[in-house]
Short mmCIF file of all heavy atoms in Angstrom, two decimals:
data_model
loop_
_atom_site.label_atom_id
_atom_site.label_comp_id
_atom_site.label_asym_id
_atom_site.label_seq_id
_atom_site.Cartn_x
_atom_site.Cartn_y
_atom_site.Cartn_z
N MET A 1 -11.52 -65.96 -8.35
CA MET A 1 -11.89 -65.43 -7.08
C MET A 1 -10.88 -65.52 -6.05
O MET A 1 -10.03 -66.47 -5.99
CB MET A 1 -13.03 -66.37 -6.74
CG MET A 1 -13.43 -66.44 -5.27
SD MET A 1 -14.70 -67.66 -4.91
CE MET A 1 -14.42 -67.94 -3.21
N VAL A 2 -10.74 -64.47 -5.27
CA VAL A 2 -9.76 -64.41 -4.22
C VAL A 2 -10.18 -65.19 -3.06
O VAL A 2 -11.26 -64.98 -2.52
CB VAL A 2 -9.48 -62.90 -3.89
CG1 VAL A 2 -8.40 -62.82 -2.71
CG2 VAL A 2 -8.98 -62.09 -5.09
N ASP A 3 -9.28 -65.95 -2.67
CA ASP A 3 -9.62 -66.85 -1.55
C ASP A 3 -8.62 -66.72 -0.41
O ASP A 3 -7.40 -66.94 -0.57
CB ASP A 3 -9.74 -68.32 -1.96
CG ASP A 3 -10.27 -69.19 -0.97
OD1 ASP A 3 -10.19 -68.92 0.24
OD2 ASP A 3 -10.81 -70.28 -1.29
N LYS A 4 -9.07 -66.46 0.79
CA LYS A 4 -8.11 -66.23 1.91
C LYS A 4 -7.45 -67.51 2.30
O LYS A 4 -6.50 -67.50 3.06
CB LYS A 4 -8.77 -65.55 3.06
CG LYS A 4 -9.77 -66.45 3.75
CD LYS A 4 -10.40 -65.65 4.89
CE LYS A 4 -11.41 -66.53 5.65
NZ LYS A 4 -12.09 -65.68 6.69
N TYR A 5 -7.86 -68.64 1.81
CA TYR A 5 -7.27 -69.93 2.11
C TYR A 5 -6.21 -70.34 1.15
O TYR A 5 -5.64 -71.36 1.18
CB TYR A 5 -8.37 -71.05 2.29
CG TYR A 5 -9.34 -70.71 3.34
CD1 TYR A 5 -10.65 -70.25 3.10
CD2 TYR A 5 -8.93 -70.84 4.76
CE1 TYR A 5 -11.55 -69.95 4.10
CE2 TYR A 5 -9.81 -70.45 5.70
CZ TYR A 5 -11.11 -70.04 5.47
OH TYR A 5 -11.96 -69.74 6.43
N ASN A 6 -6.07 -69.50 0.15
CA ASN A 6 -4.97 -69.71 -0.89
C ASN A 6 -4.08 -68.50 -0.85
O ASN A 6 -4.47 -67.39 -0.56
CB ASN A 6 -5.55 -69.96 -2.26
CG ASN A 6 -6.07 -71.34 -2.32
OD1 ASN A 6 -7.30 -71.56 -1.87
ND2 ASN A 6 -5.38 -72.36 -2.75
N CYS A 7 -2.76 -68.77 -1.31
CA CYS A 7 -1.81 -67.65 -1.27
C CYS A 7 -2.16 -66.58 -2.20
O CYS A 7 -2.54 -66.75 -3.32
CB CYS A 7 -0.45 -68.27 -1.62
SG CYS A 7 0.83 -67.11 -1.67
N ARG A 8 -1.84 -65.40 -1.75
CA ARG A 8 -2.11 -64.19 -2.58
C ARG A 8 -1.25 -64.22 -3.81
O ARG A 8 -1.69 -63.78 -4.85
CB ARG A 8 -1.81 -62.94 -1.73
CG ARG A 8 -1.80 -61.67 -2.37
CD ARG A 8 -1.22 -60.56 -1.41
NE ARG A 8 -1.24 -59.30 -2.07
CZ ARG A 8 -0.66 -58.27 -1.61
NH1 ARG A 8 -0.04 -58.29 -0.46
NH2 ARG A 8 -0.66 -57.10 -2.20
N PHE A 9 -0.08 -64.60 -3.60
CA PHE A 9 0.98 -64.55 -4.72
C PHE A 9 1.01 -65.90 -5.54
O PHE A 9 1.36 -65.94 -6.70
CB PHE A 9 2.33 -64.25 -4.23
CG PHE A 9 2.42 -62.84 -3.58
CD1 PHE A 9 2.75 -62.76 -2.17
CD2 PHE A 9 2.06 -61.71 -4.28
CE1 PHE A 9 2.74 -61.55 -1.65
CE2 PHE A 9 2.14 -60.52 -3.74
CZ PHE A 9 2.52 -60.34 -2.40
N ASN A 10 0.70 -66.95 -4.84
CA ASN A 10 0.72 -68.22 -5.48
C ASN A 10 -0.64 -68.92 -5.29
O ASN A 10 -0.74 -69.74 -4.34
CB ASN A 10 1.87 -69.14 -4.93
CG ASN A 10 3.20 -68.40 -4.93
OD1 ASN A 10 3.73 -68.14 -5.98
ND2 ASN A 10 3.63 -68.13 -3.75
N PRO A 11 -1.58 -68.57 -6.07
CA PRO A 11 -3.03 -69.06 -5.84
C PRO A 11 -3.13 -70.55 -5.83
O PRO A 11 -4.13 -71.07 -5.18
CB PRO A 11 -3.68 -68.50 -7.05
CG PRO A 11 -2.91 -67.38 -7.53
CD PRO A 11 -1.45 -67.75 -7.18
N LYS A 12 -2.14 -71.27 -6.26
CA LYS A 12 -2.24 -72.75 -6.19
C LYS A 12 -1.82 -73.30 -4.90
O LYS A 12 -2.05 -74.41 -4.60
CB LYS A 12 -1.47 -73.36 -7.31
CG LYS A 12 -2.15 -73.23 -8.78
CD LYS A 12 -1.27 -73.75 -9.81
CE LYS A 12 -1.94 -73.40 -11.19
NZ LYS A 12 -0.94 -73.71 -12.31
N GLU A 13 -1.04 -72.49 -4.18
CA GLU A 13 -0.62 -72.83 -2.87
C GLU A 13 -1.63 -72.63 -1.77
O GLU A 13 -2.32 -71.61 -1.74
CB GLU A 13 0.61 -72.10 -2.53
CG GLU A 13 1.88 -72.42 -3.40
CD GLU A 13 2.39 -73.78 -3.39
OE1 GLU A 13 2.27 -74.43 -2.30
OE2 GLU A 13 2.75 -74.34 -4.48
N GLU A 14 -1.63 -73.56 -0.85
CA GLU A 14 -2.54 -73.32 0.27
C GLU A 14 -1.86 -72.32 1.30
O GLU A 14 -0.76 -72.42 1.58
CB GLU A 14 -2.72 -74.69 1.01
CG GLU A 14 -3.93 -74.69 2.01
CD GLU A 14 -3.97 -76.02 2.68
OE1 GLU A 14 -3.63 -77.07 2.18
OE2 GLU A 14 -4.40 -75.99 3.91
N ALA A 15 -2.74 -71.52 1.78
CA ALA A 15 -2.24 -70.41 2.68
C ALA A 15 -2.00 -71.02 4.04
O ALA A 15 -2.85 -71.67 4.56
CB ALA A 15 -3.26 -69.25 2.68
N VAL A 16 -0.83 -70.69 4.58
CA VAL A 16 -0.53 -71.04 5.98
C VAL A 16 -0.71 -69.88 6.93
O VAL A 16 -0.72 -70.05 8.07
CB VAL A 16 0.89 -71.71 6.11
CG1 VAL A 16 0.96 -72.99 5.43
CG2 VAL A 16 1.89 -70.75 5.61
N LEU A 17 -0.76 -68.72 6.26
CA LEU A 17 -0.88 -67.46 7.08
C LEU A 17 -2.06 -66.65 6.53
O LEU A 17 -2.28 -66.69 5.29
CB LEU A 17 0.43 -66.69 6.94
CG LEU A 17 1.55 -67.15 7.89
CD1 LEU A 17 2.80 -66.37 7.47
CD2 LEU A 17 1.18 -66.81 9.25
N TYR A 18 -2.54 -65.78 7.29
CA TYR A 18 -3.68 -64.97 6.77
C TYR A 18 -3.53 -63.59 7.40
O TYR A 18 -3.39 -63.33 8.64
CB TYR A 18 -4.94 -65.67 7.26
CG TYR A 18 -6.21 -64.94 7.01
CD1 TYR A 18 -6.46 -64.42 5.69
CD2 TYR A 18 -7.02 -64.49 8.20
CE1 TYR A 18 -7.64 -63.64 5.51
CE2 TYR A 18 -8.17 -63.79 7.92
CZ TYR A 18 -8.50 -63.38 6.58
OH TYR A 18 -9.58 -62.54 6.43
N CYS A 19 -3.50 -62.61 6.47
CA CYS A 19 -3.52 -61.18 6.91
C CYS A 19 -4.97 -60.74 7.18
O CYS A 19 -5.84 -60.71 6.31
CB CYS A 19 -2.92 -60.29 5.79
SG CYS A 19 -2.99 -58.59 6.05
N GLU A 20 -5.23 -60.50 8.44
CA GLU A 20 -6.61 -60.13 8.91
C GLU A 20 -6.95 -58.71 8.43
O GLU A 20 -8.15 -58.36 8.20
CB GLU A 20 -6.68 -60.24 10.33
CG GLU A 20 -6.49 -61.61 10.82
CD GLU A 20 -6.77 -61.73 12.34
OE1 GLU A 20 -7.90 -61.63 12.84
OE2 GLU A 20 -5.74 -61.88 13.07
N LYS A 21 -5.97 -57.83 8.18
CA LYS A 21 -6.21 -56.59 7.77
C LYS A 21 -6.70 -56.53 6.36
O LYS A 21 -7.62 -55.87 6.03
CB LYS A 21 -4.94 -55.73 7.96
CG LYS A 21 -5.11 -54.27 7.71
CD LYS A 21 -3.79 -53.49 8.01
CE LYS A 21 -3.96 -51.94 7.79
NZ LYS A 21 -2.79 -51.30 7.93
N TYR A 22 -5.92 -57.16 5.43
CA TYR A 22 -6.29 -57.09 4.06
C TYR A 22 -6.88 -58.40 3.56
O TYR A 22 -7.27 -58.39 2.41
CB TYR A 22 -4.96 -56.92 3.28
CG TYR A 22 -4.38 -55.49 3.43
CD1 TYR A 22 -3.32 -55.30 4.27
CD2 TYR A 22 -4.96 -54.46 2.72
CE1 TYR A 22 -2.77 -54.00 4.45
CE2 TYR A 22 -4.49 -53.11 2.92
CZ TYR A 22 -3.39 -52.95 3.75
OH TYR A 22 -2.87 -51.65 3.96
N GLU A 23 -7.13 -59.35 4.42
CA GLU A 23 -7.71 -60.53 4.02
C GLU A 23 -7.03 -61.28 2.85
O GLU A 23 -7.60 -61.77 1.96
CB GLU A 23 -9.19 -60.29 3.71
CG GLU A 23 -9.93 -59.66 5.00
CD GLU A 23 -11.49 -59.65 4.70
OE1 GLU A 23 -11.82 -59.38 3.48
OE2 GLU A 23 -12.15 -59.79 5.64
N TYR A 24 -5.71 -61.38 3.06
CA TYR A 24 -4.82 -62.08 2.23
C TYR A 24 -4.35 -63.31 2.76
O TYR A 24 -4.01 -63.30 3.98
CB TYR A 24 -3.68 -61.19 1.70
CG TYR A 24 -4.01 -60.01 0.80
CD1 TYR A 24 -3.27 -58.86 1.02
CD2 TYR A 24 -4.99 -60.20 -0.25
CE1 TYR A 24 -3.61 -57.75 0.17
CE2 TYR A 24 -5.17 -59.09 -1.01
CZ TYR A 24 -4.61 -57.84 -0.78
OH TYR A 24 -4.78 -56.80 -1.63
N GLY A 25 -4.24 -64.41 1.97
CA GLY A 25 -3.55 -65.51 2.43
C GLY A 25 -2.12 -65.59 1.95
O GLY A 25 -1.84 -65.00 0.85
N TYR A 26 -1.29 -66.24 2.73
CA TYR A 26 0.15 -66.39 2.27
C TYR A 26 0.62 -67.86 2.39
O TYR A 26 0.37 -68.45 3.45
CB TYR A 26 1.09 -65.50 2.90
CG TYR A 26 0.74 -63.96 2.73
CD1 TYR A 26 -0.01 -63.29 3.70
CD2 TYR A 26 1.22 -63.34 1.55
CE1 TYR A 26 -0.27 -61.94 3.42
CE2 TYR A 26 0.96 -62.05 1.31
CZ TYR A 26 0.16 -61.29 2.26
OH TYR A 26 -0.08 -59.98 2.03
N CYS A 27 1.26 -68.32 1.43
CA CYS A 27 1.85 -69.72 1.52
C CYS A 27 3.12 -69.72 2.28
O CYS A 27 3.77 -68.72 2.58
CB CYS A 27 2.04 -70.31 0.17
SG CYS A 27 3.38 -69.74 -0.76
N GLU A 28 3.68 -70.94 2.55
CA GLU A 28 4.84 -71.09 3.33
C GLU A 28 6.07 -70.45 2.65
O GLU A 28 6.83 -69.85 3.32
CB GLU A 28 5.10 -72.56 3.61
CG GLU A 28 5.82 -72.89 4.80
CD GLU A 28 5.61 -74.28 5.29
OE1 GLU A 28 5.07 -75.05 4.59
OE2 GLU A 28 6.33 -74.68 6.23
N SER A 29 6.21 -70.51 1.32
CA SER A 29 7.32 -69.99 0.60
C SER A 29 7.29 -68.47 0.67
O SER A 29 8.33 -67.81 0.74
CB SER A 29 7.45 -70.50 -0.75
OG SER A 29 6.20 -70.09 -1.50
N CYS A 30 6.15 -67.86 0.75
CA CYS A 30 6.02 -66.41 0.82
C CYS A 30 6.48 -65.92 2.25
O CYS A 30 7.03 -64.87 2.44
CB CYS A 30 4.61 -65.96 0.55
SG CYS A 30 4.25 -65.99 -1.20
N LEU A 31 6.10 -66.78 3.25
CA LEU A 31 6.48 -66.43 4.63
C LEU A 31 8.06 -66.40 4.74
O LEU A 31 8.58 -65.52 5.44
CB LEU A 31 5.93 -67.44 5.63
CG LEU A 31 6.37 -67.26 7.02
CD1 LEU A 31 5.89 -66.03 7.63
CD2 LEU A 31 5.84 -68.53 7.88
N THR A 32 8.66 -67.27 4.09
CA THR A 32 10.25 -67.33 4.18
C THR A 32 10.82 -66.11 3.49
O THR A 32 11.95 -65.71 3.67
CB THR A 32 10.75 -68.56 3.53
OG1 THR A 32 9.70 -69.35 3.03
CG2 THR A 32 11.52 -69.36 4.58
N ASP A 33 9.98 -65.52 2.53
CA ASP A 33 10.41 -64.30 1.90
C ASP A 33 10.58 -63.08 2.79
O ASP A 33 11.33 -62.19 2.52
CB ASP A 33 9.42 -63.99 0.76
CG ASP A 33 9.89 -62.96 -0.23
OD1 ASP A 33 11.15 -62.82 -0.33
OD2 ASP A 33 9.13 -62.39 -0.98
N ARG A 34 9.79 -63.03 3.84
CA ARG A 34 9.92 -62.11 4.89
C ARG A 34 9.59 -60.66 4.54
O ARG A 34 9.94 -59.72 5.20
CB ARG A 34 11.35 -62.15 5.53
CG ARG A 34 11.54 -63.34 6.39
CD ARG A 34 12.97 -63.46 6.75
NE ARG A 34 13.11 -64.48 7.78
CZ ARG A 34 13.46 -64.23 9.08
NH1 ARG A 34 13.72 -63.03 9.42
NH2 ARG A 34 13.39 -65.18 9.95
N SER A 35 8.99 -60.49 3.33
CA SER A 35 8.62 -59.03 3.05
C SER A 35 7.31 -58.98 2.43
O SER A 35 6.91 -58.26 1.61
CB SER A 35 9.61 -58.47 2.08
OG SER A 35 9.81 -59.44 0.95
N VAL A 36 6.42 -59.97 2.83
CA VAL A 36 5.10 -60.07 2.30
C VAL A 36 4.02 -59.12 2.92
O VAL A 36 3.03 -58.83 2.23
CB VAL A 36 4.53 -61.50 2.39
CG1 VAL A 36 5.24 -62.42 1.44
CG2 VAL A 36 4.64 -62.03 3.77
N CYS A 37 4.37 -58.53 4.06
CA CYS A 37 3.37 -57.57 4.64
C CYS A 37 3.23 -56.34 3.77
O CYS A 37 4.09 -55.72 3.30
CB CYS A 37 3.95 -57.16 6.04
SG CYS A 37 2.73 -56.07 6.93
N SER A 38 1.98 -56.13 3.47
CA SER A 38 1.60 -55.01 2.53
C SER A 38 1.91 -53.67 3.03
O SER A 38 2.33 -52.88 2.25
CB SER A 38 0.05 -55.12 2.24
OG SER A 38 -0.24 -56.43 1.83
N ASP A 39 1.85 -53.49 4.30
CA ASP A 39 2.09 -52.17 4.89
C ASP A 39 2.85 -52.23 6.27
O ASP A 39 2.45 -51.99 7.29
CB ASP A 39 0.72 -51.51 5.24
CG ASP A 39 0.28 -50.68 4.09
OD1 ASP A 39 1.07 -50.05 3.37
OD2 ASP A 39 -0.93 -50.76 3.84
N PRO A 40 4.19 -52.64 6.13
CA PRO A 40 4.99 -52.85 7.31
C PRO A 40 5.13 -51.57 8.15
O PRO A 40 5.45 -51.60 9.32
CB PRO A 40 6.38 -53.47 6.76
CG PRO A 40 6.25 -53.17 5.34
CD PRO A 40 4.92 -52.89 4.90
N GLU A 41 5.04 -50.45 7.50
CA GLU A 41 5.22 -49.22 8.10
C GLU A 41 3.96 -48.66 8.84
O GLU A 41 3.99 -47.77 9.56
CB GLU A 41 5.71 -48.11 7.15
CG GLU A 41 6.82 -48.54 6.26
CD GLU A 41 8.15 -48.33 6.79
OE1 GLU A 41 8.40 -47.26 7.30
OE2 GLU A 41 9.04 -49.24 6.78
N LEU A 42 2.79 -49.24 8.35
CA LEU A 42 1.60 -48.65 8.84
C LEU A 42 1.09 -49.35 10.02
O LEU A 42 1.33 -50.59 10.25
CB LEU A 42 0.59 -48.85 7.66
CG LEU A 42 -0.22 -47.62 7.28
CD1 LEU A 42 0.70 -46.58 6.61
CD2 LEU A 42 -1.27 -48.03 6.28
N TYR A 43 0.33 -48.63 10.87
CA TYR A 43 -0.34 -49.17 12.11
C TYR A 43 -1.29 -50.30 11.72
O TYR A 43 -2.04 -50.12 10.72
CB TYR A 43 -1.02 -48.15 12.89
CG TYR A 43 -1.81 -48.79 13.99
CD1 TYR A 43 -1.22 -49.24 15.16
CD2 TYR A 43 -3.24 -48.82 13.90
CE1 TYR A 43 -1.89 -49.71 16.11
CE2 TYR A 43 -3.97 -49.53 14.89
CZ TYR A 43 -3.27 -49.90 16.06
OH TYR A 43 -4.03 -50.48 17.04
N CYS A 44 -1.14 -51.41 12.36
CA CYS A 44 -2.13 -52.57 12.18
C CYS A 44 -2.60 -53.05 13.55
O CYS A 44 -1.84 -53.39 14.27
CB CYS A 44 -1.41 -53.62 11.33
SG CYS A 44 -2.43 -55.05 11.10
N LYS A 45 -3.87 -53.12 13.70
CA LYS A 45 -4.42 -53.56 14.99
C LYS A 45 -4.31 -55.02 15.19
O LYS A 45 -4.38 -55.54 16.28
CB LYS A 45 -5.88 -53.11 15.09
CG LYS A 45 -6.80 -53.71 14.22
CD LYS A 45 -8.22 -53.39 14.56
CE LYS A 45 -9.18 -53.86 13.54
NZ LYS A 45 -10.70 -53.53 13.84
N PHE A 46 -3.94 -55.75 14.13
CA PHE A 46 -3.76 -57.15 14.20
C PHE A 46 -2.36 -57.60 14.50
O PHE A 46 -1.97 -58.74 14.65
CB PHE A 46 -4.28 -57.86 12.99
CG PHE A 46 -5.64 -57.56 12.62
CD1 PHE A 46 -6.00 -56.73 11.52
CD2 PHE A 46 -6.78 -58.12 13.47
CE1 PHE A 46 -7.36 -56.44 11.24
CE2 PHE A 46 -8.14 -57.75 13.19
CZ PHE A 46 -8.38 -56.91 12.07
N ARG A 47 -1.47 -56.58 14.52
CA ARG A 47 -0.11 -56.96 14.58
C ARG A 47 0.41 -57.69 15.72
O ARG A 47 1.41 -58.47 15.63
CB ARG A 47 0.69 -55.54 14.52
CG ARG A 47 2.07 -55.57 14.07
CD ARG A 47 2.60 -54.22 13.66
NE ARG A 47 2.36 -54.01 12.18
CZ ARG A 47 2.63 -52.87 11.67
NH1 ARG A 47 3.05 -51.81 12.27
NH2 ARG A 47 2.50 -52.74 10.33
N THR A 48 -0.25 -57.47 16.81
CA THR A 48 0.23 -58.15 18.10
C THR A 48 0.24 -59.68 17.90
O THR A 48 0.96 -60.33 18.60
CB THR A 48 -0.63 -57.74 19.25
OG1 THR A 48 -2.08 -57.83 18.81
CG2 THR A 48 -0.34 -56.32 19.78
N HIS A 49 -0.62 -60.23 17.05
CA HIS A 49 -0.65 -61.62 16.85
C HIS A 49 -0.50 -62.04 15.35
O HIS A 49 -0.96 -63.07 14.96
CB HIS A 49 -1.93 -62.24 17.41
CG HIS A 49 -3.15 -61.76 16.76
ND1 HIS A 49 -3.90 -60.69 17.30
CD2 HIS A 49 -3.85 -62.11 15.69
CE1 HIS A 49 -4.94 -60.45 16.51
NE2 HIS A 49 -4.93 -61.33 15.54
N CYS A 50 0.20 -61.15 14.63
CA CYS A 50 0.33 -61.40 13.25
C CYS A 50 1.74 -61.95 13.00
O CYS A 50 2.83 -61.39 13.24
CB CYS A 50 0.29 -60.10 12.34
SG CYS A 50 0.47 -60.34 10.70
N ILE A 51 1.78 -63.16 12.43
CA ILE A 51 3.09 -63.85 12.12
C ILE A 51 3.76 -63.23 10.98
O ILE A 51 4.96 -63.18 10.86
CB ILE A 51 2.89 -65.35 11.98
CG1 ILE A 51 2.21 -66.00 13.17
CG2 ILE A 51 4.12 -66.06 11.76
CD1 ILE A 51 1.69 -67.39 12.93
N ILE A 52 2.87 -62.70 10.09
CA ILE A 52 3.52 -62.05 8.94
C ILE A 52 4.36 -60.86 9.34
O ILE A 52 5.48 -60.63 8.96
CB ILE A 52 2.37 -61.54 7.90
CG1 ILE A 52 1.48 -62.77 7.52
CG2 ILE A 52 2.93 -60.82 6.67
CD1 ILE A 52 0.23 -62.30 6.91
N TRP A 53 3.85 -60.14 10.26
CA TRP A 53 4.54 -58.87 10.78
C TRP A 53 5.71 -59.34 11.56
O TRP A 53 6.77 -58.69 11.41
CB TRP A 53 3.55 -58.07 11.61
CG TRP A 53 4.24 -57.08 12.44
CD1 TRP A 53 4.30 -57.09 13.77
CD2 TRP A 53 5.04 -55.96 11.99
NE1 TRP A 53 5.08 -56.03 14.20
CE2 TRP A 53 5.51 -55.38 13.08
CE3 TRP A 53 5.43 -55.52 10.74
CZ2 TRP A 53 6.34 -54.18 13.06
CZ3 TRP A 53 6.17 -54.31 10.64
CH2 TRP A 53 6.55 -53.75 11.76
N GLU A 54 5.66 -60.33 12.27
CA GLU A 54 6.74 -60.82 13.11
C GLU A 54 7.96 -61.04 12.18
O GLU A 54 9.06 -60.74 12.53
CB GLU A 54 6.38 -62.11 13.78
CG GLU A 54 5.58 -61.95 15.07
CD GLU A 54 6.28 -61.16 16.11
OE1 GLU A 54 7.52 -61.42 16.40
OE2 GLU A 54 5.75 -60.20 16.66
N ASN A 55 7.73 -61.47 11.01
CA ASN A 55 8.76 -61.68 10.13
C ASN A 55 9.29 -60.41 9.44
O ASN A 55 10.46 -60.22 9.32
CB ASN A 55 8.36 -62.73 9.04
CG ASN A 55 8.40 -64.14 9.53
OD1 ASN A 55 9.48 -64.75 9.48
ND2 ASN A 55 7.24 -64.68 9.83
N CYS A 56 8.32 -59.65 9.04
CA CYS A 56 8.56 -58.33 8.33
C CYS A 56 9.39 -57.41 9.38
O CYS A 56 10.23 -56.66 8.88
CB CYS A 56 7.38 -57.67 7.92
SG CYS A 56 6.64 -58.52 6.43
N ARG A 57 9.05 -57.52 10.60
CA ARG A 57 9.58 -56.61 11.59
C ARG A 57 11.13 -56.72 11.62
O ARG A 57 11.81 -55.66 11.70
CB ARG A 57 9.15 -56.99 12.89
CG ARG A 57 9.47 -56.02 14.02
CD ARG A 57 8.67 -56.12 15.28
NE ARG A 57 8.75 -57.46 15.79
CZ ARG A 57 8.16 -57.73 16.98
NH1 ARG A 57 7.31 -56.91 17.54
NH2 ARG A 57 8.23 -58.90 17.54
N GLU A 58 11.69 -57.92 11.46
CA GLU A 58 13.06 -58.02 11.40
C GLU A 58 13.70 -57.34 10.31
O GLU A 58 14.81 -56.69 10.37
CB GLU A 58 13.46 -59.56 11.41
CG GLU A 58 13.14 -60.23 12.70
CD GLU A 58 13.43 -61.79 12.63
OE1 GLU A 58 14.37 -62.12 11.95
OE2 GLU A 58 12.69 -62.53 13.21
N VAL A 59 13.05 -57.41 9.09
CA VAL A 59 13.60 -56.73 8.02
C VAL A 59 13.40 -55.21 8.15
O VAL A 59 14.39 -54.48 7.87
CB VAL A 59 12.71 -57.18 6.74
CG1 VAL A 59 13.20 -56.37 5.47
CG2 VAL A 59 12.85 -58.64 6.44
N ALA A 60 12.31 -54.77 8.75
CA ALA A 60 12.12 -53.33 8.95
C ALA A 60 13.19 -52.74 9.88
O ALA A 60 13.76 -51.68 9.64
CB ALA A 60 10.74 -53.10 9.51
N LYS A 61 13.59 -53.54 10.91
CA LYS A 61 14.47 -53.15 11.85
C LYS A 61 15.83 -52.87 11.18
O LYS A 61 16.48 -51.84 11.46
CB LYS A 61 14.64 -54.22 12.93
CG LYS A 61 14.01 -53.88 14.24
CD LYS A 61 14.41 -54.93 15.29
CE LYS A 61 13.34 -55.37 16.24
NZ LYS A 61 13.59 -56.60 16.90
N LYS A 62 16.18 -53.80 10.40
CA LYS A 62 17.48 -53.68 9.69
C LYS A 62 17.53 -52.46 8.80
O LYS A 62 18.55 -51.75 8.72
CB LYS A 62 17.77 -54.94 8.86
CG LYS A 62 18.29 -56.15 9.63
CD LYS A 62 18.37 -57.31 8.85
CE LYS A 62 18.57 -58.58 9.85
NZ LYS A 62 18.29 -59.78 9.05
N THR A 63 16.42 -52.16 8.20
CA THR A 63 16.32 -50.99 7.27
C THR A 63 16.52 -49.76 8.13
O THR A 63 17.24 -48.83 7.62
CB THR A 63 15.01 -50.99 6.51
OG1 THR A 63 14.72 -52.30 5.99
CG2 THR A 63 15.04 -49.99 5.41
N GLU A 64 15.87 -49.79 9.26
CA GLU A 64 15.85 -48.54 10.09
C GLU A 64 17.38 -48.23 10.59
O GLU A 64 17.75 -47.17 10.68
CB GLU A 64 15.00 -48.80 11.32
CG GLU A 64 13.74 -47.99 11.38
CD GLU A 64 12.85 -48.32 12.48
OE1 GLU A 64 13.45 -48.31 13.65
OE2 GLU A 64 11.70 -48.58 12.32
N ALA A 65 18.02 -49.37 10.87
CA ALA A 65 19.36 -49.23 11.40
C ALA A 65 20.34 -48.77 10.34
O ALA A 65 21.51 -48.53 10.55
CB ALA A 65 19.77 -50.56 12.08
N GLY A 66 19.86 -48.75 9.17
CA GLY A 66 20.72 -48.22 8.01
C GLY A 66 21.47 -49.36 7.27
O GLY A 66 22.53 -49.26 6.82
N GLY A 67 20.84 -50.52 7.36
CA GLY A 67 21.38 -51.60 6.63
C GLY A 67 22.25 -52.55 7.44
O GLY A 67 23.16 -53.18 7.13
ZN1 ZN B 101 2.90 -67.71 -1.72
#
């Protein structure tokens, strides 16, 4: 069973973050990975307060700038 209180990628890990759009949980090690957002390019109404996106955004910026 999928549980938003556990990590999407590491089900044994407790989620410290939660994607409101997809209802996925993410553990601390996934957060450090900085590319866990499922749709970094897509509009997300939760983005303004999404810590997952905050991290992904930095990666996306670098990609946009051409590396
Ligand atoms: Zn994880």
Side-chain angles (χ1 to χ4, degrees):
M1 160 182 156
V2 179
D3 189 336
K4 66 181 181 184
Y5 299 106
N6 285 84
C7 178
R8 174 188 177 191
F9 299 118
N10 311 293
K12 283 177 187 169
E13 298 293 325
E14 195 184 327
V16 294
L17 281 169
Y18 171 57
C19 173
E20 292 183 73
K21 186 178 181 182
Y22 289 103
E23 303 189 323
Y24 290 140
Y26 295 101
C27 73
E28 213 164 352
S29 59
C30 284
L31 176 62
T32 2
D33 194 18
R34 288 172 166 246
S35 53
V36 287
C37 183
S38 303
D39 273 318
E41 313 270 314
L42 230 67
Y43 172 77
C44 175
K45 65 174 174 179
F46 302 109
R47 201 163 265 175
T48 46
H49 60 266
C50 180
I51 302 169
I52 302 167
W53 165 246
E54 279 300 311
N55 281 280
C56 287
R57 186 163 63 177
E58 289 177 34
V59 178
K61 255 190 220 163
K62 279 174 196 163
T63 314
E64 249 176 54

